[in-house]
Amino acid sequence: MTLNINSILFPTDFSDVAEGAFAHAAHLALRYHATIHVFNVVSPEDGDDTNPMNFLPVQPAEGGDTDDTAVQHVEVQTATQERGTVPVVYSQTDSPSPSEAIISYARDQDVDLVVMGTHGRRGMDRLLSGSVSEEVVRGAPCPVFTVLATDAEDHVPTISRVLAPVDLSDQSDLIVNHATALADAYDTPLDLLHVVEEAAYPSAYGLDPLTPALPDVQDRAREALETLAGELDLHPGPVNVHVLAGNAARDIVEFADEQGADLIVMATHGRTGLERFLIGSVAEKVVRRARCPVFTLKTFGKSLASADAMASPDTD
């Protein structure tokens, strides 16, 4: 299972928060032979006393280009402690809105993936604030990989377990294929999770007001997840299935913490109304609350899965 990633956008303010995310951008760039676009946004009110481009978290390789407008070959160390050389393009713009600048660049350059650090807080460190990352997740035309900052110094989040929450809609294959490819890229086990939403019934029904669902719903969900898992013949690692009853955003985050998941792969849109699950607000809550990186993709946006991966299984 593989992904088609040719270009990765890395928005940065050159802080430690950004550097932790860069290690993942570098890993995926090495894995998929992609070019990294290092992108900085400055405010029109900022002075010219210092140029943040002087504080890059990467160093040009020996004999590499030095023209900021050209592709440079840069020596990197990845989140998996690999070392290698990747092509990098440096760009800078001024804008009063970092999120709009990032989204516009992603659209104009037709990038395949945005990888960005975030500290999860609003109103601080303007470029990598939690509000900016949520706006990018909401508006970017491609998948977004957010990496939450940790309190530990010089700590790059490693990935040893991938969690894919799915809503069992027609788009579940899209999520599972991306999650499987990322589990392959990091050589990790894969967990598939479905949350059956709790329903509140009027007391006149004679039921527990918080009855999670009809008695066989969880069993049917597990069977559906096991069918999805059974179709992942090319994934070399174990695939585990889990079904919970509760609240999607809360339980996804808690499950990730309890099971030690290091990357959550999920959709930003899914079912709505009474069958809601992975609607945008849920994904944004997970991005805001999860302590591990989150890879989000829109079911109606750019897919990175290969055509072969998205093809229906042969039923002959």
Side-chain angles (χ1 to χ4, degrees):
M1 190 75 68
T2 188
L3 298 177
N4 296 319
I5 301 178
N6 296 311
S7 57
I8 298 172
L9 174 57
F10 170 63
T12 180
D13 60 359
F14 309 109
S15 64
D16 291 341
V17 174
E19 191 166 358
F22 183 82
H24 288 286
H27 174 71
L28 295 173
L30 276 178
R31 172 84 180 193
Y32 296 110
H33 308 289
T35 298
I36 299 177
H37 293 245
V38 176
F39 184 61
N40 176 249
V41 183
V42 295
S43 169
E45 291 79 25
D46 291 343
D48 296 328
D49 295 340
T50 60
N51 183 352
M53 286 296 189
N54 294 329
F55 304 97
L56 294 173
V58 292
Q59 295 295 328
E62 183 176 353
D65 297 325
T66 57
D67 183 359
D68 285 349
T69 63
V71 174
Q72 301 184 28
H73 294 283
V74 174
E75 294 176 358
V76 298
Q77 179 170 322
T78 75
T80 58
Q81 304 305 309
E82 296 176 81
R83 291 184 178 272
T85 302
V86 299
V88 175
V89 175
Y90 302 118
S91 299
Q92 187 180 67
T93 190
D94 58 10
S95 172
S97 173
S99 59
E100 290 182 8
I102 294 167
I103 293 168
S104 294
Y105 188 94
R107 183 180 299 109
D108 294 344
Q109 299 296 321
D110 192 27
V111 300
D112 297 310
L113 175 66
V114 177
V115 179
M116 63 185 298
T118 174
H119 49 59
R121 298 188 298 274
R122 295 174 177 266
M124 300 179 64
D125 298 334
R126 178 174 166 269
L127 178 62
L128 300 182
S129 70
S131 58
V132 170
S133 62
E134 289 171 25
E135 289 166 5
V136 172
V137 166
R138 190 181 307 126
C142 60
V144 180
F145 190 129
T146 56
V147 182
L148 185 66
T150 65
D151 294 331
E153 294 184 2
D154 300 324
H155 174 68
V156 175
T158 57
I159 293 177
S160 57
R161 196 176 196 98
V162 174
L163 170 64
V166 293
D167 64 352
L168 300 178
S169 69
D170 293 340
Q171 300 299 323
S172 294
D173 285 343
L174 178 72
I175 308 304
V176 171
N177 285 331
H178 283 75
T180 302
L182 288 166
D184 290 349
Y186 285 95
D187 192 23
T188 71
L190 173 63
D191 291 278
L192 304 182
L193 170 68
H194 178 74
V195 180
V196 178
E197 288 277 347
E198 292 179 338
Y201 297 106
S203 58
Y205 286 5
L207 299 172
D208 186 321
L210 293 179
T211 299
L214 296 174
D216 61 344
V217 168
Q218 293 188 54
D219 290 339
R220 292 182 181 181
R222 183 174 296 278
E223 290 176 4
L225 285 182
E226 290 173 348
T227 299
L228 281 174
E231 296 171 353
L232 302 178
D233 296 334
L234 299 181
H235 180 54
V239 179
N240 308 297
V241 299
H242 312 270
V243 177
L244 302 175
N247 174 272
R250 179 198 66 203
D251 291 344
I252 290 169
V253 172
E254 291 182 355
F255 183 89
D257 286 344
E258 293 169 359
Q259 298 297 317
D262 304 299
L263 174 63
I264 298 172
V265 181
M266 64 185 300
T268 58
H269 287 79
R271 298 180 179 180
T272 58
L274 295 178
E275 295 181 312
R276 65 188 176 87
F277 179 49
L278 294 182
I279 58 177
S281 61
V282 173
E284 289 164 18
K285 289 176 183 177
V286 172
V287 169
R288 190 182 312 138
R289 300 172 183 173
R291 291 189 284 184
C292 65
V294 182
F295 180 102
T296 56
L297 67 155
K298 295 179 177 65
T299 56
F300 55 84
K302 174 178 284 192
S303 171
L304 305 181
S306 64
D308 290 342
M310 294 304 299
S312 298
D314 187 355
T315 56
D316 290 345

